[in-house]
């Protein structure tokens, strides 16, 4: 079993998503490949640049993928989007058929640790601005994967709220890694 562990927060040791992905990856154990998209950003795709498939192969080679996804401006960090752009590839992770698109990356477990400053749950005033979890669920569904989520929310509301949200999410990471 190989785990691919990906972080994308720019907040280093203070990052909540990094704390959560570390807990999940440590809990799973075994062989782990680590990729830090903030420390070593992938360039944007450029015209005609599809030759380097190393990021795609790394993804395809993993049985479990653990992803740290902080919310930046209501969606995912552009560093993480640059990685998504390299793994959503026609003919490799999805294909178009007469019955519509078909995901080809089935059988992989994807666990995503979300960290959000505010609250975006259904019915909350900011719910319509939630483009992080909804986007990641949609894009992984498109390639044939139902991702699992753990979330620490409302991190910027108050220090007390932050502490409680992290503690609850860390408890959830133990369950996910078991
Ligand atoms: C550039 C930037 C943009 C952010 N935009 C949002 C936002 O749109 N909504 C939100 O709820 N929190 C936002 N935040 C707060 C982060 O989601 C929050 O601090 C979270 O803890 C980040 O994850 P991390 O701790 O892993 O870095 C933003 C933070 C940064 C640095």
């Amino acid at each position: 079993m190989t785990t691919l562990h990906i972080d994308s927060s720019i907040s280093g040791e203070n990052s909540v998503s990094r704390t959560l992905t570390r807990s999940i990856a440590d809990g799973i154990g075994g062989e782990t490949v680590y990729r830090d998209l903030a420390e070593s950003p992938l360039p944007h795709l450029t015209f005609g640049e599809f030759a380097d498939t190393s990021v795609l192969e790394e993804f395809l080679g993993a049985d479990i993928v653990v992803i740290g996804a902080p919310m930046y401006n209501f969606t995912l960090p552009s560093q993480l989007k640059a990685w998504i752009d390299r793994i959503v590839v026609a003919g490799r992770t999805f294909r178009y058929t007469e019955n519509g698109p078909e995901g080809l990356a089935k059988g992989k477990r994807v666990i995503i640790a979300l960290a959000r400053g505010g609250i975006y749950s259904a019915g909350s005033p900011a719910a319509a601005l939630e483009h992080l979890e909804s986007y990641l669920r949609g894009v992984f569904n498109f390639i044939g994967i139902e991702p699992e989520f753990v979330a620490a929310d409302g991190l910027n509301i108050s220090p007390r709220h932050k502490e409680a949200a992290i503690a609850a999410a860390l408890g959830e990471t133990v369950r996910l890694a078991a």
Side-chain angles (χ1 to χ4, degrees):
M1 290 286 261
T2 301
T3 301
L4 173 60
H5 175 181
I6 292 178
D7 280 320
S8 61
S9 165
I10 57 168
S11 298
E13 285 306 303
N14 297 321
S15 157
V16 175
S17 61
R18 284 174 186 268
T19 302
L20 299 178
T21 60
R22 198 179 309 126
S23 172
I24 298 165
D26 287 353
I28 293 168
E31 192 189 329
T32 304
V33 176
Y34 183 63
R35 182 179 281 278
D36 191 330
L37 295 170
E39 197 175 83
S40 307
L42 295 167
H44 289 147
L45 288 181
T46 51
F47 183 67
E49 186 235 326
F50 290 102
D52 180 7
T53 59
S54 57
V55 172
L56 173 64
E57 303 302 342
E58 183 180 78
F59 170 72
L60 291 173
D63 303 293
I64 305 175
V65 184
V66 180
I67 301 171
M71 178 180 269
Y72 290 167
N73 298 315
F74 311 113
T75 187
L76 71 172
S78 52
Q79 291 91 333
L80 184 54
K81 179 61 165 50
W83 180 83
I84 297 276
D85 289 340
R86 284 173 167 73
I87 65 149
V88 181
V89 179
R92 300 298 306 277
T93 50
F94 74 93
R95 67 178 171 192
Y96 291 110
T97 73
E98 285 176 6
N99 303 319
E102 181 190 356
L104 300 176
K106 296 182 184 98
K108 226 178 264 309
R109 195 173 171 209
V110 171
I111 306 171
I112 302 174
L114 306 170
R116 292 177 283 216
I119 303 275
Y120 299 87
S121 45
S124 65
L129 290 171
E130 208 299 313
H131 304 294
L132 174 64
E133 181 173 352
S134 56
Y135 171 76
L136 290 170
R137 179 175 284 111
V139 78
F140 279 106
N141 283 177
F142 184 74
I143 63 171
I145 295 167
E146 190 62 56
E148 298 159 69
F149 290 95
V150 54
D153 286 323
L155 296 171
N156 293 347
I157 292 177
S158 74
R160 208 166 58 92
H161 195 106
K162 179 174 183 173
E163 204 178 307
I166 294 171
L170 274 174
E172 188 69 4
T173 63
V174 173
R175 192 188 62 77
L176 283 167

